[in-house]
């Protein structure tokens, strides 16, 4: 069997067209242009690319984007001052602090300093709490993009056994939480695995939906996948062969029922959900 390729790039294009329409309607009704401010500290090349892609996507959707570049020797106080200024700026609806921050800067403290109403990455503890309680203000971008992919490609989530490999605050943990919630796009039976999990291959083989977010190139091999399972590869690993995922795509696509490629799978959907959250933030700030 050769798996159906879950084309995240094409789906993201469709979703961004929908969002562009919603944004134009919002601007017409309110006179307000949604605006995302990105804060980039230091000169990490990968972060530069991510921020540039996010800005381009904003521009194409009718969302304004602003970039605040700071040198890598920026102090905590200086960074907090920038974040606080953006918190108070009525023209800014979403704030994104690009991670990772250079060494010496306390990520947890910075992410907590972002106003929860402008926290379009959904990293602030208040927003994480709301997600856990199934009354989200913003959905975390990567997990929400994956949920949309599963829903829009008609992959049955309710009752499915979902295996999430990786327990990061950004992907693994919120992924497990949103798929186990009661209601549409949820109701899965979720297992979360990590580096201390015993018998990982055996557990993976039980998954109807396998989501892999560990940052190890081609870690998941064909023998770890149940025939017909849906495999979602979040990994983005820069190797000598180029960008590759956490899944051995060529081998696994012969076993899986559906699979996301890297690149062109989860990445474009993550950015799309960031745009969605920025529009939501602009709406919320208009009514609050
Ligand atoms: P992270 O913070 O580095 O966490 C990695 C997780 O994987 C940890 O929970 C770790 O377990 C687990 N892990 C590591 N090695 C493992 C192993 N051999 N077996 C089982 N579990 C293992 O990762 P992240 O931020 O979630 O990112 C993961 C990958 O996704 C990276 O390649 C990243 O670039 C990519 N990513 C892509 C997108 C996108 O939009 N496409 C977005 C975010 C991240 P412990 O907790 O036990 O250490």
């Amino acid at each position: 069997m050769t798996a159906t390729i879950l084309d995240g790039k094409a789906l993201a294009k469709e979703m961004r067209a929908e969002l562009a329409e919603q944004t134009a309607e919002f601007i017409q009704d309110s006179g307000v242009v949604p605006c995302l401010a990105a804060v980039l500290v230091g000169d990490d090349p990968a972060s530069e690319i991510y921020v540039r892609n996010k800005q381009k996507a904003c521009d194409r959707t009718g969302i304004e984007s602003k970039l605040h570049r700071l040198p890598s020797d920026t102090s905590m106080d200086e960074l907090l001052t920038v974040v606080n200024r953006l918190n108070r700026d009525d023209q800014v609806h979403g704030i994104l602090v690009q991670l990772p921050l250079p060494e010496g800067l306390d990520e947890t403290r910075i992410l907590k300093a972002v106003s929860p109403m402008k926290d379009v990455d959904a990293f602030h503890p208040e927003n994480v709490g709301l997600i856990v309680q199934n009354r989200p203000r913003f959905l975390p971008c990567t997990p929400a993009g994956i949920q949309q992919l599963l829903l829009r490609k008609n992959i049955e989530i309710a009752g499915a056994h979902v295996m999430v490999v990786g327990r990061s605050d950004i992907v693994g943990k919120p992924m497990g939480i949103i798929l186990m919630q009661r209601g549409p796009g949820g109701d899965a039976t979720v297992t979360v695995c990590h580096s201390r999990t015993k018998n990982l291959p055996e557990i993976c083989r039980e998954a109807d939906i396998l989501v892999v977010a560990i940052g190890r190139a081609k870690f998941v091999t064909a023998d770890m996948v149940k025939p017909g399972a849906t495999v979602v590869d979040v990994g983005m690993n820069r190797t000598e062969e180029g960008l590759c995922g956490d899944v051995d795509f060529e081998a696994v696509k012969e076993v899986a029922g559906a699979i996301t490629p890297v690149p062109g799978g989860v990445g474009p959907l993550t950015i799309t959900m960031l745009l969605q959250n920025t529009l939501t933030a602009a709406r919320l700030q208009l009514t609050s």
Side-chain angles (χ1 to χ4, degrees), residues 16-270:
R16 286 181 203 181
E18 292 169 16
L19 265 174
E21 264 179 42
Q22 291 165 18
T23 304
E25 254 172 54
F26 174 79
I27 295 171
Q28 200 171 27
D29 294 349
S30 66
V32 173
V33 179
C35 172
L36 174 68
V39 181
L40 178 59
V41 189
D43 43 21
D44 176 54
S47 293
E48 295 260 355
I49 296 171
Y50 294 147
V51 167
R52 203 181 317 133
N53 287 344
K54 289 170 189 174
Q55 284 197 291
K56 264 197 233 158
C58 279
D59 295 345
R60 288 187 189 138
T61 313
I63 292 174
E64 193 187 339
S65 66
K66 291 185 178 168
L67 174 60
H68 296 264
R69 272 177 183 282
L70 298 167
S72 48
D73 61 354
T74 300
S75 69
M76 272 301 283
D77 281 349
E78 286 164 335
L79 184 51
L80 285 169
T81 302
V82 171
V83 169
N84 285 327
R85 203 177 64 226
L86 294 172
N87 284 341
R88 287 192 305 269
D89 187 342
D90 290 344
Q91 312 284 315
V92 168
H93 305 100
I95 302 172
L96 169 160
V97 180
Q98 184 63 46
L99 301 180
L101 290 171
E103 235 167 271
L105 293 173
D106 181 344
E107 277 183 7
T108 309
R109 216 177 128 202
I110 296 293
L111 296 180
K112 199 170 162 219
V114 173
S115 160
M117 298 299 285
K118 298 189 178 186
D119 170 39
V120 286
D121 269 328
F123 292 160
H124 190 285
E126 182 179 312
N127 288 323
V128 175
L130 289 171
I131 292 162
V132 174
Q133 292 182 345
N134 203 13
R135 45 195 194 107
R137 178 183 286 140
F138 302 114
L139 284 172
C141 299
T142 302
I146 294 169
Q147 187 183 42
Q148 281 302 312
L149 176 80
L150 298 173
L151 282 168
R152 289 173 183 244
K153 296 290 178 185
N154 297 317
I155 288 162
E156 181 93 44
I157 303 173
H161 193 176
V162 174
M163 199 74 62
V164 182
V165 191
R167 57 176 163 183
S168 70
D169 288 342
I170 295 173
V171 187
K173 223 184 273 176
M175 182 81 264
I177 288 166
I178 70 174
L179 293 182
M180 59 157 262
Q181 299 290 16
R182 191 189 298 268
D187 289 329
T189 302
V190 176
T191 304
V192 179
C193 303
H194 44 77
S195 68
R196 304 293 300 273
T197 298
K198 285 181 184 156
N199 306 328
L200 186 68
E202 227 167 85
I203 299 174
C204 287
R205 266 197 303 276
E206 285 173 22
D208 301 311
I209 301 173
L210 180 63
V211 182
V212 194
I214 60 176
R216 303 264 183 279
K218 299 187 183 180
F219 180 87
V220 170
T221 46
D223 59 314
M224 293 167 77
V225 175
K226 177 160 90 177
T230 297
V231 179
V232 178
D233 188 353
V234 185
M236 291 209 288
N237 308 290
R238 275 159 227 288
T239 67
E240 282 175 6
E241 299 159 36
L243 190 64
C244 87
D246 290 342
V247 174
D248 182 356
F249 180 83
E250 287 306 323
V252 171
K253 81 174 189 332
E254 300 304 321
V255 180
I259 186 169
T260 60
V262 177
V266 174
L269 295 167
T270 296

